Amino acid sequence: MRLEQQKLQGVIKSLEKDIQGLKREIQERDETIQDKEKRIYDLKKKNQELEKFKFVLDYKIKELKKQIEPRENEIKEMKEQIQEMEAELERFHKQNTQLDLNITELKQKLKATDREMQRERQKVRDVEAIVKRFKRQTCITALDLFKNPRS
């Protein structure tokens, strides 16, 4: 019986060791669970904060988009205005080029007209000189006839 008691005592000790090991394991698991629950709580809290930030940022984004939209329209209108001004500038450039050509042509015509006018003036002077000589010659001839009649 003693031997059996000792065996049972050994079994009891072994079982008590197993129980203590299991209790330690349960305690470690409980601690792990508590740590994980705390971590979950912290993450949920952080998630709530992030959701608040997300809400605020979404609102700010909507407000900024409302501000940007009119400016985008302004930019679009200004781009259209720039295109119109560039087209107008191109038209002015073409007109200036055409006017330069017209000026050059008119200057050439003016030079030609000046030359023609100088030629005509010279002709007038030549004719006036001929008329003057003719008058003088006629006067001389008339005086000669008057002084020396041929009769």
Side-chain angles (χ1 to χ4, degrees):
M1 206 139 155
R2 192 127 163 91
L3 192 61
E4 223 174 280
Q5 255 183 348
Q6 284 180 345
K7 272 186 182 179
L8 286 175
Q9 285 268 338
V11 170
I12 288 174
K13 279 186 182 180
S14 172
L15 288 174
E16 283 177 354
K17 279 184 185 178
D18 287 346
I19 287 173
Q20 281 181 349
L22 289 173
K23 281 183 180 179
R24 265 189 310 236
E25 191 176 323
I26 287 173
Q27 186 179 359
E28 287 172 4
R29 287 185 182 186
D30 282 344
E31 288 172 2
T32 303
I33 288 172
Q34 284 177 357
D35 289 343
K36 288 188 179 186
E37 284 176 346
K38 185 177 185 305
R39 177 83 174 129
I40 289 171
Y41 175 78
D42 290 341
L43 289 173
K44 282 183 179 181
K45 202 171 186 181
K46 184 75 171 180
N47 199 24
Q48 284 177 343
E49 286 179 34
L50 291 173
E51 285 294 327
K52 286 179 187 176
F53 281 127
K54 181 183 180 274
F55 178 78
V56 170
L57 291 176
D58 282 344
Y59 178 78
K60 285 184 179 181
I61 288 171
K62 286 178 187 175
E63 289 298 311
L64 289 172
K65 282 184 179 179
K66 286 179 186 177
Q67 289 176 1
I68 288 173
E69 188 174 324
R71 289 190 181 180
E72 285 178 342
N73 290 337
E74 266 183 62
I75 289 170
K76 183 180 176 186
E77 288 173 7
M78 287 182 172
K79 283 183 178 178
E80 290 172 0
Q81 189 177 10
I82 286 171
Q83 287 177 342
E84 289 171 5
M85 292 171 89
E86 285 176 343
E88 186 177 11
L89 181 64
E90 184 64 30
R91 282 193 307 275
F92 285 151
H93 179 67
K94 286 180 181 178
Q95 286 176 352
N96 283 346
T97 303
Q98 186 61 44
L99 288 172
D100 285 342
L101 290 173
N102 290 349
I103 287 171
T104 303
E105 183 181 331
L106 289 172
K107 282 181 179 179
Q108 289 173 347
K109 285 182 180 180
L110 181 62
K111 283 181 183 178
T113 304
D114 281 345
R115 286 192 299 267
E116 181 65 27
M117 197 157 67
Q118 286 173 0
R119 282 194 296 268
E120 291 298 319
R121 283 182 182 156
Q122 186 61 45
K123 285 181 185 178
V124 167
R125 283 193 294 270
D126 291 346
V127 167
E128 285 176 347
I130 291 171
V131 166
K132 195 175 183 182
R133 273 185 288 179
F134 179 75
K135 281 181 181 179
R136 198 177 311 132
Q137 194 65 33
T138 306
C139 282
I140 291 172
T141 307
L143 279 174
D144 267 349
L145 284 175
F146 191 63
K147 285 182 183 178
N148 302 317
R150 287 189 186 178
S151 11

